Amino acid sequence: MREISDALFSALMEDMRAAAGAEILPRFLGVVAEGIRTKTAPDDLVTDADLGAERWLGEAFSARFREALLVGEEAVSADPALLARFADADLAVLIDPVDGTWNFAHGVPLFGMIVAIVSGGETVAGLIHYPVTGDFLAARKGLGAWHIARDGAQTRLAAAPPSPVGEMHGFVPLHMFPSEDQPAYARHLLRFARTTTWRCSAYEYRAVATGAMSFSLNVELKPWDHAAGVLIHREAGGYGALLSGEAYRPAMTKGRLLLAPDAESWEAIRRVLAEG
């Protein structure tokens, strides 16, 4: 499946809106202690909203993509072998039911839902939904990236224009780097105007795809976090690759992914981060 029709794209957005209305928004600011659980670390959370929304979307998407492998974040948490199947799948649907779960669970409205359609190892469509505001970032390969408002109004997205390193604002999750790498990276980050992290890929991709922020550096390559966002950023005119120079692919699980306004900016940022 190399193309996603207008009708199917719209249907996927309706599915995401419906799942948000049924499983996520009713629980926001109403999550009780027994509805929050930890996974790999004390701040790696899963809630009833994550589980309910992934189940809801899984059922909806199974009907729309009968031959596709469905890969949900929580399903992989329960069965890590699912990632190996994803790497070999001809068609897959990636689902992050609540991206930014820590924010969601603590009453911070910076969370979203992410869906990517991957065909032949390549992302052909990506959707990021923001349940609180009711809007989307959306892209299909070769058709540009768009903001779709709650009322359906569409605005084409554009990544930030190139600028000197000292004027760039970016996302760098310093706490996620190995402890031995953190002091050097902390020094390098002083070269930029500002760096931060919002604990939510959905909103960080929103910022780089709309030009609000210049760059992002990601340490962990979880496909449900990045496949849709990388496509949206690229269709908005941005450039991204692993720090090694290798092109990003959705099946990648290792490497550090850097997104920038263009290839020259990417190289300038990489040089700063690689300084001794």
Side-chain angles (χ1 to χ4, degrees):
M1 177 180 285
R2 292 293 177 177
E3 295 184 359
I4 304 296
S5 69
D6 292 347
L8 178 55
F9 208 47
S10 294
L12 296 177
M13 285 189 278
E14 287 304 317
D15 289 339
M16 295 173 75
R17 287 190 186 97
E23 301 289 348
I24 297 173
L25 287 173
R27 294 184 169 99
F28 183 51
L29 296 178
V31 181
V32 293
E34 58 267 26
I36 306 173
R37 295 169 288 284
T38 60
K39 294 192 288 186
T40 62
D43 62 349
D44 182 17
L45 306 181
V46 61
T47 71
D48 290 343
D50 296 82
L51 299 171
E54 185 167 310
R55 183 169 54 249
W56 203 106
L57 289 175
E59 293 174 357
F61 293 166
S62 291
R64 300 193 187 281
F65 299 94
R66 297 189 182 279
E67 304 301 320
L69 175 69
L70 300 185
V71 182
E73 178 182 13
E74 305 313 328
V76 172
S77 182
D79 180 13
L82 186 57
L83 268 185
R85 294 175 58 201
F86 167 62
D88 297 327
D90 291 330
L91 180 64
V93 182
L94 297 170
I95 303 170
D96 191 343
V98 181
D99 180 73
T101 298
W102 190 94
N103 291 341
F104 172 85
H106 294 91
V108 180
L110 296 182
F111 61 88
M113 308 169 72
I114 306 176
V115 168
I117 312 302
V118 179
S119 178
E122 179 181 34
T123 309
V124 296
L127 288 162
I128 304 178
H129 180 45
Y130 305 92
V132 172
T133 51
D135 56 346
F136 284 84
L137 297 191
R140 286 174 285 178
K141 184 184 175 184
L143 298 179
W146 300 85
H147 173 259
I148 303 175
R150 183 190 292 269
D151 64 3
Q154 299 191 22
T155 304
R156 190 150 192 166
L157 302 179
S163 62
V165 163
E167 297 177 7
M168 289 185 181
H169 295 236
F171 296 107
V172 182
L174 186 62
H175 67 285
M176 296 180 69
F177 283 84
S179 58
E180 62 271 20
D181 293 345
Q182 290 180 10
Y185 269 93
R187 290 193 302 273
H188 301 336
L189 297 184
L190 296 175
R191 293 278 306 278
F192 302 104
R194 178 181 296 181
T195 58
T196 188
T197 179
W198 288 349
R199 303 184 67 127
C200 177
S201 293
Y203 265 94
E204 292 186 4
Y205 274 111
R206 182 185 184 113
V208 295
T210 60
M213 298 288 270
S214 299
F215 71 94
S216 67
L217 177 63
N218 294 283
V219 184
E220 293 185 350
L221 296 186
K222 297 177 180 177
W224 46 84
D225 284 338
H226 300 297
V230 169
L231 174 65
I232 291 168
H233 180 254
R234 184 171 67 241
E235 290 290 328
Y239 179 83
L242 272 60
L243 286 181
S244 64
E246 188 176 2
Y248 170 78
R249 300 187 305 278
M252 288 177 164
T253 57
K254 294 183 180 180
R256 295 175 181 175
L257 173 64
L258 175 62
L259 303 183
D262 60 12
E264 290 185 3
S265 300
W266 184 95
E267 180 58 30
I269 298 166
R270 188 202 64 78
R271 287 197 301 268
V272 169
L273 296 174
E275 289 177 347

